[in-house]
């Protein structure tokens, strides 16, 4: 079973936010952005999916803070992401908002979104927006909580974890900060317990959680997660079942 510290690589509380620092889509937008009409209309920033240990994430965050302090403010361009509404709070990491606008679309906290990968041979990553921050130099950044696909979910002993449905993703508690301009669009992710039949044609499906440090899989219905993370998973499951309706048991 999962020990109490199994999923401790990322904190979930606001008080500990300063310590915070892809999956593929269903085959769309896999071309280079500059080759598409969308790419010609606006610039995109690309991101990579980095697996880091607790110490590495803390070091990365320290470097980000130093870069934020040393980077001079940049002039805002028409294609840049812009915050929407009043600030939620101000911290040493920047000014935090509940929404931002980019490419004519508005995004908010807890939206599931597709993100442009740094490696253009890959299809877009998938993440949940957990924070929206305007840095001191004017950059708009989002804190993404990542989903993994079987190609990205490595086993500790080698190889990958395998699923039967190509639309199935693994949820994770790994978070990373990326440019808001890397967002492509919203997507739908449904959290479905293992004893329920899978819905068809309704976006991505999540049935298990990928532990990026131990490289293990845990079911959504396991009850050994940390309290905050257990609450988070239960909430996702409840929202998904309310959206999907009554799913038959297997």
């Amino acid at each position: 079973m999962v020990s109490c510290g199994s999923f401790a690589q990322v904190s979930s509380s606001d008080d500990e936010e300063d310590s915070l620092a892809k999956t593929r889509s269903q085959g769309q937008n896999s071309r280079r952005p500059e080759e598409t009409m969308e790419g010609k209309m606006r610039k995109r920033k690309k991101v990579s999916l980095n697996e880091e240990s607790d110490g590495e994430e803390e070091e990365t965050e320290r470097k980000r803070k130093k870069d934020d302090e040393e980077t001079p403010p940049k002039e805002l361009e028409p294609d840049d992401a812009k915050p929407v509404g009043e600030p939620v709070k101000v911290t040493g990491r920047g000014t935090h908002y509940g929404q931002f606008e980019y490419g004519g679309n508005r995004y908010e906290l807890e939206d599931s979104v597709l993100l442009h990968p740094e490696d253009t041979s890959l299809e877009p990553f998938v993440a949940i927006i957990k924070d929206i921050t305007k840095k001191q130099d004017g950059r708009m950044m989002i804190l993404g909580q990542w989903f993994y696909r079987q190609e990205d979910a490595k086993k500790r002993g080698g190889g990958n974890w395998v699923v039967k449905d190509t639309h199935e993703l693994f949820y994770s508690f790994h978070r990373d900060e990326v440019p808001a301009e890397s967002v492509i669009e919203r997507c739908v992710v449904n959290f479905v317990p293992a004893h329920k039949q899978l819905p068809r044609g309704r976006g991505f499906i999540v049935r298990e959680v990928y532990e990026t440090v131990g490289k293990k899989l845990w079911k959504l219905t396991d009850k050994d997660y940390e309290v905050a993370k257990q609450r988070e998973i239960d909430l996702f499951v409840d929202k998904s079942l309310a959206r999907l309706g009554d799913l038959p048991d297997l």
Side-chain angles (χ1 to χ4, degrees):
M1 301 301 289
V2 188
S3 66
C4 293
S6 292
F7 293 103
Q9 62 265 39
V10 179
S11 170
S12 299
S13 67
D14 290 339
D15 293 338
E16 296 176 337
E17 66 169 15
D18 288 343
S19 68
L20 296 178
K22 48 203 199 45
T23 60
R24 296 182 168 186
S25 73
Q26 304 171 40
Q28 60 190 25
N29 299 306
S30 59
R31 290 184 295 167
R32 293 176 181 271
E34 62 268 22
E35 296 174 351
T36 64
M37 182 58 67
E38 183 180 49
K40 293 177 181 177
M41 292 174 60
R42 58 190 177 187
K43 64 183 179 181
R44 292 286 186 190
K45 293 185 178 178
K46 303 179 181 66
V47 299
S48 59
L49 183 57
N50 299 312
E51 295 184 15
E52 298 177 328
S53 66
D54 294 346
E56 289 172 334
E57 285 189 352
E58 292 173 0
E59 179 62 24
T60 299
E61 183 62 19
R62 283 195 291 270
K63 290 179 179 178
R64 287 195 186 113
K65 288 182 179 179
K66 183 177 180 181
D67 290 341
D68 291 342
E69 294 171 355
E70 296 178 350
T71 304
K74 72 181 184 70
E75 186 176 345
L76 192 66
E77 299 179 11
D79 289 338
D80 287 340
K82 301 174 180 63
V84 174
E86 296 297 319
V88 175
K89 57 187 174 182
V90 178
T91 68
R93 296 176 55 233
T95 305
H96 303 258
Y97 291 84
Q99 303 178 75
F100 74 94
E101 189 173 88
Y102 177 58
N105 297 311
R106 185 168 294 188
Y107 303 94
E108 58 187 40
L109 296 175
E110 301 302 323
D111 277 348
S112 297
V113 293
L114 301 179
L115 300 160
H116 269 298
E118 190 174 71
D119 183 347
T120 55
S121 67
L122 300 176
E123 295 172 15
F125 299 154
V126 184
I128 295 178
I129 299 174
K130 290 296 184 179
D131 194 18
I132 300 168
T133 309
K134 183 176 182 180
K135 300 295 185 179
Q136 294 179 356
D137 63 358
R139 292 175 299 137
M140 288 297 299
M141 304 290 287
I142 62 171
L143 184 67
Q145 187 151 333
W146 300 98
F147 295 90
Y148 284 71
R149 192 162 178 159
Q150 58 182 336
E151 290 86 351
D152 309 304
K154 310 296 183 182
K155 292 183 178 181
R156 179 176 288 276
N160 299 69
W161 292 103
V162 178
V163 292
K164 295 180 180 179
D165 194 313
T166 58
H167 297 102
E168 186 170 344
L169 310 174
F170 300 126
Y171 188 56
S172 82
F173 294 107
H174 171 63
R175 295 182 177 185
D176 200 8
E177 196 171 50
V178 298
E181 289 86 358
S182 63
V183 173
I184 301 172
E185 61 184 357
R186 286 187 186 85
C187 62
V188 176
V189 181
N190 297 302
F191 287 69
V192 181
H195 68 279
K196 291 291 186 179
Q197 291 188 20
L198 291 177
R200 297 294 177 181
R202 293 206 176 185
F204 295 107
I205 299 295
V206 170
R207 308 195 85 158
E208 294 174 294
V209 177
Y210 177 58
E211 183 189 346
T212 57
V213 175
K215 301 188 183 303
K216 302 177 181 178
L217 291 181
W218 306 104
K219 291 182 173 57
L220 296 177
T221 50
D222 285 338
K223 297 300 180 182
D224 295 296
Y225 300 103
E226 294 175 3
V227 175
K229 293 177 174 61
Q230 183 72 65
R231 189 182 303 118
E232 179 179 312
I233 290 174
D234 291 343
L235 180 60
F236 283 137
V237 171
D238 290 343
K239 285 183 176 180
S240 297
L241 294 181
R243 178 171 57 243
L244 295 170
D246 186 25
L247 294 176
D249 289 340
L250 292 174

